[in-house]
Amino acid sequence: MPTYKIRGIDVDFPYEAYDCQLVYMEKVIQSLQNKCNALLESPTGTGKTLCLLCATLAWRKSLGEFSRGRSERSNIRGSQYSDDELPQSQSSNFPTIIYTSRTHSQIRQVIQELKRSNYRPKMVVLGSREQLCIHDQVSLLRGKAQTNACQALCKKRTKRYCAHFSRVTEFVKKNPSIGDDPIDIEDLVNIGRSSGPCPYYLSRELHKDVDILFAPYNYLIDRGNRKSLKIDWNNSILIFDEAHNLEGLCADAASFDLPSGLLTACISEAKNCIDLSITRRETSSDKSCNPDNFAILRALLLKLEKRIAEVPIESRELGFTKPGPYIYELLAELNITQKTANMLTDIIDKACALLEEDANTNESGGSNKANGNIFRLESMGDILRLIFKDNSNAHAQYYRVREKLTDTEYREFVGFMKALKSKAMKIGHVLQSIARLFSVPDRLSLLHGVHKKGILRL
């Protein structure tokens, strides 16, 4: 295998390198040595992924040996940790390389390139529960339902404690060399099926003590995912492969939609919380949940629904568009401000916990099927946290608030006009259709990222 001396670094390359590949690797090493950002591109078919891997790993190896076979997890307390409680490794002061791409299929190709190289760093690939879960019932669920079901089964006090989760710590202790050779999502799943540990939590455990970590973009872009990773971001090398996809993903991650169906469901759940808390007080003198708080929440949601309905939509194409700060003006009319938002999200969290307790109580006498409970109030809480993040509204200048008719509403409107024109509708039906059509728009697209002043859409 040829070795090239590039900026004082010995780079092992599996083939005779072309001039363009040598230049590419030189720029990679230069950015690493100077601790600066680099925006690099190369035509398709020039082996840029292999060049990027070999140059980066050669530079990392020049700092010290890879972490092969080392395990520093002996102090982990059995299976007590959750997503946000995984203890941070104190393995070394060497930087961790985080290699991200858009999809897992692209990451799979990168790992294949790693196998072709002469480098064998300690590595792991992160994936979602949808890809890694091997629990008989939870693996059939999707989205938040799957997440909630998984987290419920990983609590030791539950009767249906997940056996796969409980085997992770012991498996890692007995297999310290796991990750010394390149492994992919399928390899983790096969390990779980053959040896028992949960592949999802196995990858979460391994990531704290690796030289290079492979993950989709959203593990870095999404704030919740990023916080769940125990990584020293100030001592890390971040690589975004196929970075032309990054701008759109950033805009999507920092935007949200508020459909009328979501508001209706939240209002219904708030009403359920009022009833549940009153019933608890009457039957068991349980005063942990105050029904007045849930009544305030429901009243605010009803006012928000009414306020959105009052917004005029002049045309289907343009909808109703305002600068980002408008969302604060709209919510301020409901007394939802920076000062009150935290209190409101606390009420929402308590409401979700109450609904979860009630759902689990109702299911406790049933089968052993793992049910993932989804509460729409969780989404409303996420929306408020995004709007009022960091106790500041400075980010609003890079956003737009937009309300528009959906395709369904537009088709209803066209059908209504045709029926009106043909005089086939009685006046009573006409008035009912008008009231239904313009009562609450089916969707309010809030805080949609826009490109302004050359700044990335966030």
Side-chain angles (χ1 to χ4, degrees), residues 166-410:
S166 63
R167 297 171 185 167
V168 171
T169 303
E170 190 64 25
F171 180 83
V172 171
K173 287 181 180 179
K174 292 181 177 180
N175 298 272
S177 61
I178 186 75
D180 285 358
D181 292 316
I183 54 175
D184 202 351
I185 292 289
E186 291 77 9
D187 299 316
L188 289 171
V189 171
N190 291 334
I191 289 172
R193 295 194 185 283
S194 62
S195 303
C198 169
Y200 176 79
Y201 281 103
L202 177 60
S203 67
R204 307 289 293 188
E205 172 63 12
L206 292 175
H207 94 271
K208 301 182 304 248
D209 192 24
V210 295
D211 300 303
I212 185 168
L213 179 152
F214 297 91
Y217 289 150
N218 62 296
Y219 275 85
L220 268 66
I221 296 171
D222 183 84
R223 176 177 290 196
N225 285 330
R226 192 167 62 246
K227 283 186 175 181
S228 71
L229 299 178
K230 304 305 176 182
I231 292 174
D232 181 3
W233 297 105
N234 293 321
N235 188 33
S236 299
I237 308 300
L238 307 183
I239 298 175
F240 292 92
D241 199 3
E242 303 292 338
H244 58 275
N245 300 299
L246 197 56
E247 185 179 5
L249 289 170
C250 287
D252 291 340
S255 305
F256 66 83
D257 292 336
L258 179 57
S260 64
L262 173 61
L263 266 178
T264 301
C266 289
I267 292 169
S268 177
E269 289 178 356
K271 178 62 168 62
N272 290 342
C273 289
I274 296 172
D275 296 338
L276 286 171
S277 55
I278 291 176
T279 300
R280 286 190 174 192
R281 288 194 169 198
E282 292 176 347
T283 58
S284 62
S285 299
D286 182 356
K287 299 182 179 181
S288 59
C289 294
N290 188 347
D292 293 341
N293 289 337
F294 302 133
I296 292 172
L297 173 62
R298 182 173 181 271
L300 286 174
L301 293 173
L302 285 168
K303 288 183 179 181
L304 178 60
E305 183 181 53
K306 181 181 178 182
R307 181 64 184 85
I308 292 173
E310 295 170 351
V311 175
I313 301 179
E314 298 179 358
S315 70
R316 183 196 179 202
E317 292 77 15
L318 298 177
F320 175 85
T321 304
K322 289 284 187 178
Y326 171 78
I327 187 61
Y328 297 101
E329 299 174 12
L330 186 148
L331 293 178
E333 296 176 15
L334 311 177
N335 197 30
I336 303 176
T337 64
Q338 293 283 359
K339 293 182 179 180
T340 61
N342 288 337
M343 180 181 67
L344 190 57
T345 53
D346 287 343
I347 295 174
I348 290 175
D349 290 341
K350 291 179 181 178
C352 293
L354 180 61
L355 293 170
E356 180 73 29
E357 289 176 13
D358 181 64
N360 290 338
T361 301
N362 293 334
E363 294 168 6
S364 60
S367 66
N368 289 328
K369 183 178 180 181
N371 294 315
N373 300 305
I374 301 179
F375 306 111
R376 307 312 295 274
L377 280 170
E378 290 180 344
S379 299
M380 181 58 67
D382 293 339
I383 289 172
L384 290 174
R385 290 185 182 91
L386 179 58
I387 295 173
F388 295 102
K389 67 177 182 179
D390 302 326
N391 294 318
S392 170
N393 60 1
H395 57 285
Q397 61 181 312
Y398 307 118
Y399 290 76
R400 289 291 182 269
V401 179
R402 189 181 184 196
E403 182 177 355
K404 63 179 181 180
L405 291 173
T406 63
D407 292 339
T408 300
E409 286 178 325
Y410 183 71

